[in-house]
């Protein structure tokens, strides 16, 4: 059975847990429409990604 040889110090424990924090999603302002969108995602309002039309633009109902 595996047993730790030494007690893990609080510093080492904190370094291990440093990557567990939840981060808020980042948003960037779209250059064409000015809407906020996630980086590397399609702008759902205009349907464009990197200047190319990918989806049909949403029409306001």
């Amino acid at each position: 059975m595996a047993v730790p040889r030494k007690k893990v110090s609080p510093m080492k424990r904190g370094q291990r847990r440093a990557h567990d924090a939840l981060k808020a999603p980042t948003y960037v302002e779209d250059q064409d429409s000015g809407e906020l969108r996630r980086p590397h995602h399609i702008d759902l309002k205009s349907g464009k990604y990197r200047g190319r039309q990918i989806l049909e633009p949403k029409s306001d109902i």
Side-chain angles (χ1 to χ4, degrees):
M1 189 165 104
V3 178
R5 191 175 282 245
K6 301 244 179 184
K7 179 180 177 180
V8 177
S9 69
M11 183 180 76
K12 282 292 182 185
R13 183 191 64 206
Q15 287 177 354
R16 183 181 68 244
R17 292 178 180 173
H19 304 288
D20 294 342
L22 295 175
K23 298 179 184 122
T26 57
Y27 291 95
V28 296
E29 185 177 340
D30 193 62
Q31 293 177 352
D32 298 328
S33 65
E35 294 287 322
L36 291 179
R37 65 170 177 80
R38 297 287 310 272
H40 307 285
H41 283 69
I42 297 173
D43 181 24
L44 294 176
K45 186 170 186 178
S46 65
K48 289 187 176 183
Y49 180 70
R50 298 183 67 186
R52 294 188 311 228
Q53 192 69 35
I54 304 296
L55 299 174
E56 292 295 322
K58 283 189 175 181
S59 59
D60 293 332
I61 298 174

